[in-house]
Amino acid sequence: MKPIVSHPDFARLHPTGDHPERQERLRVLLAAFPEYVQARPATVAELEACHERDYIEAVRWTSESGGTVLLDPDTICTESSYAAALLAAGAAIGAVEEEGFALVRPPGHHARPSAAMGFCLFNNVAVAARFAQQALGHNRIAILDWDVHHGNGTQEIFWDDDSVVFVSLHQWPFYPGTGGPGDGNDSTVNVPLRAGSGDGEYLRAMEETALPALERFQPDFLLVSAGFDAAAGDPIGGMRVSAEGFRALADQAGTACSRSALILEGGYNTDTLPSLVGSVLEAF
Ligand code: ZN
């Protein structure tokens, strides 16, 4: 089983009220998985591998000014949000170092080089990919994103970079609107799936498109943007993947590369989130 990387502050910092991306998500996960490697915050230099300095500074300033501000229509920033976002990116780095599973919030895959978006402040998986390259010398990085939403921020950060292949399975048409048919290039593979898709559709997409793309690329390191909002019963997603389906996705992903790490993205049903994460942990 992969080691977990997390921090008790994810259940305390970045209070979002009754927003679906809330502290309770990490509270239930840390209660279910009490043993973990404690994450450190990312440094500004580590964030700068993916984000503009002015944007990082704007998030810090907005957060430290206090109050509750909307950075985009879906993304709240409070006085502890900058600290939480640094810790989430740092935990993603920790997951690379440990070849583990980072249980974090806020999520990251919608965050763009100079904009917050869709609950995401900094792009945790992208920061982790750059760390794997620059600090650990893993040249070829594959990112598999099975969150129900398209990882538009990750796609944008690596669009012109053929050292990082980005493969995304997601509901489409759906938020954020990108990742549809024809949206891609040599190192960006999008697999849009119809609303209501379940284990069969996801496993077929993995076998027919995602795995062959990963195998062609021959990554030195695999990162998984592991969202669980494609699960049956998720309050935001419209898909029907079961715990068994996530286990099978993880089983298949594990065959693509001997070194890997996972980073939590979405997943908003706090009753089922621990068991979904547990099935993926068992598979790896
Ligand atoms: Zn999502």
Side-chain angles (χ1 to χ4, degrees):
M1 197 164 102
K2 283 198 166 299
I4 292 169
V5 180
S6 193
H7 198 288
D9 283 352
F10 291 129
R12 293 200 287 261
L13 302 178
H14 189 45
T16 54
D18 56 6
H19 191 287
E21 199 298 285
R22 56 181 182 263
Q23 293 147 312
E24 189 193 355
R25 300 177 63 230
L26 264 288
R27 211 173 284 142
V28 298
L29 285 173
L30 295 182
F33 305 103
E35 285 179 31
Y36 49 86
V37 177
Q38 188 147 319
R40 63 158 172 93
T43 65
V44 170
E46 286 164 344
L47 296 182
E48 280 181 334
C50 301
H51 293 285
E52 302 290 338
R53 175 180 292 232
D54 287 353
Y55 169 64
I56 300 165
E57 186 56 24
V59 175
R60 185 187 67 77
W61 183 86
T62 306
S63 181
E64 290 176 0
S65 306
T68 298
V69 176
L70 285 176
L71 298 176
D72 96 323
D74 301 309
T75 312
I76 292 171
C77 184
T78 71
E79 67 179 349
S80 60
S81 296
Y82 180 66
L86 286 185
L87 202 50
I93 287 170
V96 170
E97 291 175 316
E98 301 288 334
E99 296 187 29
F101 194 157
L103 298 181
V104 302
R105 62 180 285 277
H109 73 153
H110 298 304
R112 304 175 58 203
S114 55
M117 187 171 164
F119 319 166
C120 303
L121 299 179
F122 300 132
N123 197 310
N124 306 322
V125 76
V127 170
R130 285 293 183 231
F131 177 84
Q133 290 183 315
Q134 293 168 2
L136 303 182
H138 299 308
N139 296 319
R140 298 170 68 76
I141 309 293
I143 301 175
L144 171 66
D145 186 331
W146 70 49
D147 187 276
V148 77
H149 303 99
H150 179 234
N152 63 296
T154 313
Q155 168 169 307
E156 183 177 347
I157 289 166
F158 299 115
W159 182 259
D160 288 320
D161 182 346
D162 58 16
S163 71
V164 179
V165 75
F166 176 64
V167 180
S168 178
L169 313 180
H170 47 268
Q171 183 173 333
W172 193 90
F174 199 46
Y175 182 89
T178 47
D183 184 2
N185 63 21
D186 288 347
S187 59
T188 308
V189 179
N190 284 312
V191 189
L193 297 166
R194 265 193 322 227
S197 296
D199 295 358
E201 289 85 353
Y202 269 82
L203 292 172
R204 199 172 315 123
M206 273 294 278
E207 276 160 29
E208 291 177 359
T209 313
L211 268 186
L214 296 174
E215 280 161 6
R216 270 197 306 278
F217 181 69
Q218 300 213 321
D220 300 316
F221 202 98
L222 170 70
L223 285 163
V224 181
S225 260
F228 294 90
D229 41 9
D234 188 89
I236 292 184
M239 301 302 220
R240 287 183 245 173
V241 180
S242 69
E244 217 28 68
F246 278 107
R247 189 194 312 264
L249 283 177
D251 260 335
Q252 291 192 327
T255 67
C257 190
S258 58
R259 291 175 182 276
S260 60
L262 300 98
I263 303 169
L264 181 67
E265 299 283 358
Y268 303 99
N269 183 334
T270 49
D271 293 334
T272 57
L273 189 55
S275 62
L276 296 169
V277 167
S279 23
V280 166
L281 275 169
E282 282 164 22
F284 263 89

